[in-house]
Amino acid sequence: MTISLTWPQVLAWRLKRQFVDPVTGPDAVSVVRRLTGVQAQVASSAELAVAVRQADPRPGEIDGALWRERTLVKTWTARGTLHLVPADELPSYTAVLGAFRNWDKGSWQRGHGVTAAEVAAILDAVPKALDGRTLTREELVEGVIEVTGDAHLREALTSGWGALLKPLSFLGELCYGPPRDGRVTFVSPRDWVPGWPAEPLSAEEGGMRLVRSFLGAHGPGTPETFDAWLYRGAARKAILRGWFRDLAPELAEVEVEGRPMVLLAEHLDDLAATTPSTGVHLLPGFDQYILAAPRDLEPLLPKEARPRVSRAAGWISPVVVHRGRVAGVWEAKNGELAFDLLEDVPADALAAEARRVAALLP
């Protein structure tokens, strides 16, 4: 028999799984692992996304995991955006994203002002330039020109820099290295990540691993909701359905207010027993609780809240969450938090959460 659930139940369960309610997150790597990565193009937001979930936040822990222990990696993954991911999970992302190869399409090349030959030359040269080395952006450009002998590639690399690095990240050929004098550096995961596999995972195995991880924090879901999180809805539908089909023995079917979805069978009893959340929570910009859900999920993100949450240039605002749904946005001003609320929120609970989060701000 298919179990029927409500969205308030599902959202409360997601808050629990994501260490938001209650705040029970352990070390930073475990929090990032549970969230299926943390978006990191704004470093302070990524650090706060972890800290607000930790029972005992530790300043500097993420930098230590990135640059000393190498248990976290910073690179482009889901949706082509910068993320923190556990180092031992990066091979799953590269197996999946490297197989999509959207940079082989003429439309992608035209949109980024490069030719197929230039893309091929750069994809071949960067791993050779990085071999055993840690290079700044400028040094990497010079290294590519040294490998290829083609100075014309300088323009392609400097004009479409971020776009041309993403395919290399997807292929597992490049990730962030430790900053040098305030400048970004890049390394090869083969050199940098402990235990990097000698043989790559198959796209099928990588895909199933990511689906498991996604459903464990953001379920129940469907191939479509997973695709929206991973690749903005652009992945081949047959491939996605194949991953879910292969995982069927591990999944349970549910209905969420009439919508068929699936989650990991091991989580079914816990979700079914979950009661709606009543708490008030402050989450930072670009938080996974928002990013991993469909933009049109009204029970989470009411229509009137969307313009305030999804801003110009892809900016995702910090949010006030009450009863599992977005009740407003917030920002830090001169060391204090300012709120733009869309509905009534318990004042005492909001004040207590504001004090907690303010103490975590740099």
Side-chain angles (χ1 to χ4, degrees):
M1 183 181 74
T2 300
I3 292 180
S4 295
L5 303 165
T6 67
W7 276 113
Q9 273 183 291
V10 168
L11 295 175
W13 185 78
R14 290 181 182 177
L15 288 172
K16 179 168 62 174
R17 289 292 299 172
Q18 295 177 35
F19 301 127
V20 176
D21 187 7
V23 178
T24 55
D27 60 281
V29 177
S30 296
V31 173
V32 172
R33 188 184 305 279
R34 175 65 62 84
L35 294 176
T36 320
V38 170
Q39 195 159 318
Q41 72 266 46
V42 178
S44 59
S45 291
E47 291 168 0
L48 188 57
V50 173
V52 296
R53 290 169 161 88
Q54 289 183 296
D56 181 24
R58 294 177 286 280
E61 184 183 9
I62 288 178
D63 277 354
L66 280 169
W67 314 130
R68 291 193 298 275
E69 291 90 7
R70 304 187 188 184
T71 48
L72 287 178
V73 174
K74 183 176 181 178
T75 194
W76 289 272
T77 59
R79 303 176 303 285
T81 54
L82 274 177
H83 274 71
L84 304 178
V85 297
D88 58 5
E89 292 187 350
L90 183 59
S92 296
Y93 287 94
T94 59
V96 170
L97 296 171
F100 289 157
R101 300 195 66 87
N102 63 327
W103 53 89
D104 287 339
K105 298 178 180 178
S107 57
W108 188 94
Q109 294 161 9
R110 290 190 297 273
H112 293 95
V114 292
T115 66
E118 287 173 331
V119 172
I122 291 167
L123 294 184
D124 178 69
V126 167
K128 297 174 182 175
L130 280 177
D131 187 22
R133 305 166 73 188
T134 300
L135 301 179
T136 65
R137 291 173 182 262
E138 297 77 14
E139 289 167 348
L140 184 55
V141 172
E142 296 305 318
V144 168
I145 293 171
E146 180 181 344
V147 169
T148 62
D150 186 355
H152 290 94
L153 290 178
R154 188 190 310 277
E155 181 179 355
L157 281 166
T158 54
S159 62
W161 182 259
L164 289 170
L165 291 187
K166 289 178 185 180
L168 289 153
S169 175
F170 291 174
L171 290 165
E173 299 289 0
L174 171 147
C175 65
Y176 272 52
R180 187 197 306 162
D181 300 326
R183 293 184 295 169
V184 166
T185 70
F186 298 100
V187 293
S188 165
R190 280 190 298 274
D191 300 326
W192 182 257
V193 175
W196 187 257
E199 296 295 330
L201 292 177
S202 68
E204 292 75 20
E205 178 60 29
M208 289 192 292
R209 290 184 183 189
L210 292 184
V211 171
R212 286 190 194 99
S213 180
F214 177 82
L215 292 177
H218 311 292
T222 65
E224 291 74 25
T225 61
F226 175 74
D227 185 21
W229 164 79
L230 178 67
Y231 214 59
R232 303 187 192 276
R236 290 178 57 189
K237 303 304 179 281
I239 292 175
L240 293 168
R241 288 194 294 268
W243 295 340
F244 276 74
R245 182 181 62 249
D246 292 343
L247 278 174
E250 302 178 33
L251 303 179
E253 296 181 356
V254 298
E255 283 192 358
V256 183
E257 297 186 4
R259 183 179 181 185
M261 306 181 87
V262 297
L263 80 158
L264 296 175
E266 64 188 87
H267 295 151
L268 180 59
D269 290 345
D270 185 41
L271 174 52
T274 297
T275 57
S277 169
T278 60
V280 176
H281 311 284
L282 301 183
L283 298 177
F286 303 99
D287 194 83
Q288 282 288 76
Y289 184 67
I290 301 299
L291 291 173
R295 293 292 180 272
D296 60 353
L297 183 56
E298 182 77 15
L300 169 66
L301 190 60
K303 189 175 297 184
E304 62 271 21
R306 291 174 200 166
R308 305 187 197 188
V309 174
S310 296
R311 309 293 290 272
W315 186 266
I316 304 296
S317 299
V319 294
V320 180
V321 175
H322 179 224
R323 296 177 177 169
R325 61 191 265 127
V326 173
V329 297
W330 65 274
E331 61 178 326
K333 290 183 176 180
N334 301 319
E336 297 185 356
L337 306 191
F339 301 98
D340 181 7
L341 299 176
L342 296 160
E343 60 184 60
D344 290 338
V345 174
D348 289 347
L350 179 61
E353 177 71 347
R355 288 192 294 272
R356 184 181 78 90
V357 172
L360 299 173
L361 297 175

